[in-house]
Amino acid sequence: TDVVAISDRLPVTERIEWCLTSTDLRREQLGPETWRWAPLTPADTRQVFEAGAAWLRLQRSNSSAQSIERWFEIGHQRMSDVQLHYRDVDGTWRLERLGTDMPRAALGDGARADGVLPATVAEGSTTQVLIRVETASLMALDTVLWVPAAYLDHRVQSDIRLAVALGTLVLAALYSLMKFLISRELQYGMLMLGLVGEAIIETTRTGFMMRHLWPEPLPFPVTMTVIGGICSLLGFAGFVYLAIITRMGSPRLELLVKLWVGAVLLFQLYTIFGDYSAGTVLWSTLAMPLIFVLTLASWQSLRRGEGIATWIFLTFLIMGMIGVSRLPAVSERLPPALRRRPPPLPSLGIPSPPR
């Protein structure tokens, strides 16, 4: 890839190779006699849980008469450890890294402020680049090269859109809090909890919380999305239960909702304290029928003419549509024991097959 030809951004889809290794393998041990490299295909970039570490290999060149800096964006913002290794002009290897396992205070300027890995290519040179990805969350290997100014513009626009959405959530949460304090009706307190959970999920998913809200001396917990999910589950389900379901006079429905919320909560706790990958797949899958039940209850309440059910129904309808759109991705990760690859054998001269 000639970095001069990049005008704003370039997804790297050609002449990039990869292999899957054990997590203890170092760059110096990554030889052709030990690990077999394979071309990276679109199927390989699909987000899945991996027990090992993935290495990407590509070449960058600079045909201009001056050194050029480009920024690497790899996968998503929630991966545990992403390393960028590249040769400097004097032949020495340089290392840039980012990830939730490392405090932001220990990261470079680009990784700390923008979630990217900067690299400079000397004038008239060709440089080999190695990228290592290891993560407890979903592994994503899609790689994009950015012109720094273009990425900063993209980041500002994304943060503005997110700030507007978060502002709406905060206003709704404050309104719910005021309603709770005035009326002393618990359902509004539960609604506030659900809105706070959604804010946690969105700021974590986009990396906004890591870049702007999380203390720099502390690593970012991979389970933060699950914590947001617990708040969202208890808040929204509790709100609908108190505002609608208890008024429907259906003990069986009340028991069903309680049992289902308990099951989802159990697997969310298992995600935090047990197996993160298996727990994530299980609770996110079990949440779909619960959303359907809450949507159905809201619809029945709406048909009876209860005004409060209108926007509740629309809220859960939208959440259900989003969940259905994610079902193909969820099904690709079922069952976790079969989808997640075990770490390959240590370096014993045995080739590591591609995924």
Side-chain angles (χ1 to χ4, degrees):
T1 303
D2 191 340
V3 296
V4 178
I6 303 174
S7 58
D8 51 5
R9 66 187 294 270
L10 175 67
V12 182
T13 57
E14 298 179 353
R15 293 187 293 278
I16 179 170
E17 298 175 310
W18 83 295
C19 66
L20 189 66
T21 73
S22 57
T23 56
D24 58 353
L25 187 80
R26 300 174 59 86
R27 175 184 52 78
E28 295 81 3
Q29 302 171 294
L30 201 64
E33 70 283 353
T34 306
W35 304 101
R36 187 179 69 206
W37 296 86
L40 185 71
T41 66
D44 297 325
T45 61
R46 186 181 66 244
Q47 296 188 19
V48 294
F49 288 109
E50 292 288 3
W55 288 83
L56 307 177
R57 182 173 66 180
L58 64 152
Q59 300 281 341
R60 293 177 308 134
S61 61
N62 179 8
S63 59
S64 70
Q66 58 184 359
S67 61
I68 295 180
E69 182 179 72
R70 291 292 180 261
W71 290 357
F72 281 83
E73 182 185 26
I74 298 104
H76 55 77
Q77 299 281 321
R78 306 177 307 282
M79 292 196 291
S80 304
D81 186 14
V82 181
Q83 302 177 9
L84 176 69
H85 303 254
Y86 68 98
R87 288 189 183 275
D88 211 342
V89 64
D90 59 358
T92 59
W93 284 93
R94 295 193 58 181
L95 171 64
E96 299 282 349
R97 66 189 305 182
L98 58 80
T100 59
D101 281 355
M102 289 157 289
R104 284 198 305 131
L107 303 177
D109 293 338
R112 181 169 62 249
D114 303 299
V116 293
L117 294 170
T120 301
V121 186
E123 60 274 13
S125 67
T126 298
T127 303
Q128 184 183 69
V129 176
L130 295 173
I131 300 170
R132 182 186 183 275
V133 179
E134 179 186 351
T135 182
S137 62
L138 288 170
M139 180 180 288
L141 301 180
D142 43 311
T143 303
V144 180
L145 273 172
W146 285 89
V147 174
Y151 183 84
L152 290 175
D153 182 63
H154 160 75
R155 176 56 61 198
V156 168
Q157 295 182 29
S158 299
D159 284 350
I160 289 175
R161 291 192 296 269
L162 180 60
V164 172
L166 286 178
T168 304
L169 285 174
V170 170
L171 288 176
L174 290 175
Y175 175 77
S176 302
L177 176 61
M178 292 177 61
K179 290 278 289 183
F180 169 65
L181 294 176
I182 294 172
S183 66
R184 298 298 180 179
E185 295 183 21
L186 182 58
Q187 62 206 43
Y188 293 108
M190 302 304 291
L191 178 59
M192 182 197 68
L193 179 63
L195 292 169
V196 169
E198 285 301 306
I200 293 174
I201 292 173
E202 284 305 305
T203 52
T204 302
R205 183 185 63 82
T206 58
F208 187 90
M209 182 182 292
M210 290 89 89
R211 295 192 306 271
H212 302 294
L213 304 177
W214 195 254
E216 288 196 1
L218 301 178
F220 190 84
V222 69
T223 55
M224 186 59 70
T225 51
V226 189
I227 295 173
I230 291 176
C231 294
S232 181
L233 168 73
L234 296 178
F236 288 130
F239 176 66
V240 175
Y241 179 83
L242 294 172
I244 294 179
I245 294 179
T246 55
R247 302 176 183 179
M248 296 177 65
S250 176
R252 289 184 179 180
L253 180 59
E254 293 182 23
L255 179 60
L256 174 63
V257 171
K258 288 179 181 179
L259 291 177
W260 212 269
V261 169
V264 176
L265 179 60
L266 178 64
F267 284 115
Q268 287 176 325
L269 295 175
Y270 176 68
T271 303
I272 295 176
F273 300 106
D275 188 326
Y276 179 86
S277 58
T280 297
V281 173
L282 290 169
W283 82 257
S284 58
T285 303
L286 284 175
M288 288 305 304
L290 177 62
I291 293 176
F292 173 77
V293 170
L294 297 177
T295 305
L296 182 61
S298 302
W299 168 249
Q300 292 177 350
S301 179
L302 179 62
R303 292 182 61 184
R304 292 196 301 271
E306 299 179 13
I308 194 174
T310 303
W311 61 278
I312 301 177
F313 169 72
L314 292 176
T315 298
F316 280 100
L317 181 62
I318 293 172
M319 291 175 63
M321 294 173 63
I322 294 173
V324 169
S325 69
R326 294 174 178 170
L327 279 179
V330 173
S331 64
E332 288 173 353
R333 302 194 291 271
L334 285 173
L338 299 179
R339 293 293 180 179
R340 186 179 58 182
R341 293 180 177 273
L345 294 173
S347 179
L348 298 173
I350 302 174
S352 173
R355 186 166 59 201

